[in-house]
Amino acid sequence: MVTQTMTTFNNAMRRVYSPPLRKQMNSASAVISRLRKNREDARGDSLTARIPLVSRYNQGMGWIAEGDSLPTARTRAYAQATVALAYGYCRVLISGQAAIASSNSATRFASVIDEALTGSVEGFKVNMSKHAFRMGTGALARRGSVNDTSTDPGTLIAVDDAACLEDDMVIDSWTTDDASTGTQGYDGLVISEVDYANNKVAFSAATPASNEANDYLYQEATRGNVPMGLKGITDGYVAAGTTLLTTFQGIDGTTANNSYWLGNVLDNAGVLTDLTLDDMQKCFELPEYIAGVQPTAIYTTFALRRAYLRQVVADKR
């Protein structure tokens, strides 16, 4: 006797799916959620936001005795920061067949259009957060200093920090971490695997024979087109007397009378040292001391967070 089974009934049976999609990645966006948004339009052919700044108070003031001459009039000084707007895009391609196939609630497990658009928004927020921590060049990581012996697809290659890289991301590489100079190495290589625990990445195609040691990795076509991040915003003099950026938002903080535009960098005169609570307090107080404002958040690396937790172990209650 022939028995009807799940297999023979397969094409006639209704599909039932559990509603939630299980995410296997972190879509949190801590930095973006804290930003204050400005919806004013930047108009004109340059598409640049121009921000007027007060760089010096009028010092024509003082406390004088009766009958003395009034203070000499002085001037209030101004500067103008210019911010070229960055434009981010996400492209989704959905076939007509896929859209039709998901239109029946009995057979869909998510509307492909809604899921594609919602998922793209989530992914784009994560992408924005990656750049929010960097300095506006688009570089997401740096290759290790040693060329690997194998160039085969799937070979894991060391990077300094894999946190900003993702599976299926299309990557270019350049010899410099800036918007325009240097020599290109990788061109459109697709990431096939990211080993976050060991800071390694593999590509789906063979890498060049040199493996481009020390190159900086960029998401394809984004170099020089991303918004400025915290690394650039907080840029200031280190012990060696250098800065990461020549100018920031059109102002060169290294020229005379522009030091107010530099970030407050405490680097222990260039000598590596263990983190102390006193160091953290100094960093917290400097903005209040210089500009009269208090920080509202502290962002750091996982390693520094662990170092901080070690400092407060004795204070736990």
Side-chain angles (χ1 to χ4, degrees), residues 59 104 128 143 146 158 182 196 201 207 256 273 287:
Q59 296 302 317
N104 187 323
M128 288 179 64
R143 279 278 290 104
V146 179
Y196 294 106
V201 62
T207 58
T273 183

Side-chain angles (χ1 to χ4, degrees), residues 22-26:
R22 306 301 181 186
K23 298 178 183 178
Q24 299 302 313
M25 70 289 289
N26 181 7

Side-chain angles (χ1 to χ4, degrees), residues 30-31 33-35 230 234 280 283-284 287 294-300:
V31 176
S33 66
R34 297 188 67 90
L35 292 179
L230 292 176
T234 58
M280 292 188 64
C283 290
F284 188 86
Q294 284 190 343
T296 57
I298 296 176
Y299 294 97
T300 186

Side-chain angles (χ1 to χ4, degrees), residues 32-201:
I32 303 303
S33 66
R34 297 188 67 90
L35 292 179
R36 287 183 296 177
K37 283 74 173 179
N38 185 342
R39 296 184 179 276
E40 294 181 6
D41 290 338
R43 301 187 181 278
D45 57 5
S46 64
L47 292 176
T48 299
R50 304 184 185 280
I51 306 170
L53 309 170
V54 175
S55 61
R56 184 184 67 219
Y57 291 121
N58 174 12
Q59 296 302 317
M61 63 184 72
W63 303 87
I64 59 176
E66 183 179 15
D68 283 355
S69 298
L70 294 174
T72 303
R74 309 294 294 177
T75 60
R76 185 175 166 101
Y78 301 90
Q80 186 180 84
T82 57
V83 183
L85 302 187
Y87 296 85
Y89 300 86
C90 183
R91 184 177 181 181
V92 177
L93 181 62
I94 302 172
S95 70
Q97 291 90 333
I100 293 173
S102 69
S103 61
N104 187 323
S105 62
T107 58
R108 71 181 181 185
F109 100 112
S111 167
V112 292
I113 296 178
D114 290 346
E115 169 57 23
L117 294 179
T118 301
S120 296
V121 171
E122 290 182 353
F124 199 81
K125 287 181 179 179
V126 174
N127 190 278
M128 288 179 64
S129 289
K130 298 178 190 298
H131 294 294
F133 283 98
R134 309 191 80 80
M135 66 176 190
T137 64
L140 296 174
R142 191 179 189 184
R143 279 278 290 104
S145 59
V146 179
N147 283 327
D148 296 279
T149 56
S150 174
T151 62
D152 295 334
T155 300
L156 286 170
I157 298 172
V159 295
D160 62 342
D161 187 353
C164 290
L165 303 176
E166 292 185 42
D167 179 34
D168 204 42
M169 184 179 281
V170 184
I171 295 295
D172 296 337
S173 76
W174 292 79
T175 55
T176 55
D177 184 7
D178 63 37
S180 58
T181 67
T183 303
Q184 185 172 8
Y186 299 162
D187 183 8
L189 290 184
V190 179
I191 293 178
S192 60
E193 181 183 357
V194 182
D195 181 352
Y196 294 106
N198 297 297
N199 289 317
K200 292 187 177 182
V201 62

Side-chain angles (χ1 to χ4, degrees), residues 256-306:
N257 302 320
N258 285 350
S259 60
Y260 66 88
W261 200 235
L262 294 174
N264 306 312
V265 178
L266 301 176
D267 71 342
N268 194 45
V271 180
L272 294 178
T273 183
D274 292 334
L275 178 71
T276 67
L277 295 179
D278 187 57
D279 293 331
M280 292 188 64
Q281 188 63 29
K282 288 179 181 177
C283 290
F284 188 86
E285 291 174 350
L286 266 177
E288 185 175 10
Y289 174 71
I290 295 174
V293 295
Q294 284 190 343
T296 57
I298 296 176
Y299 294 97
T300 186
T301 63
F302 288 109
L304 279 178
R305 185 173 70 175
R306 291 193 298 271

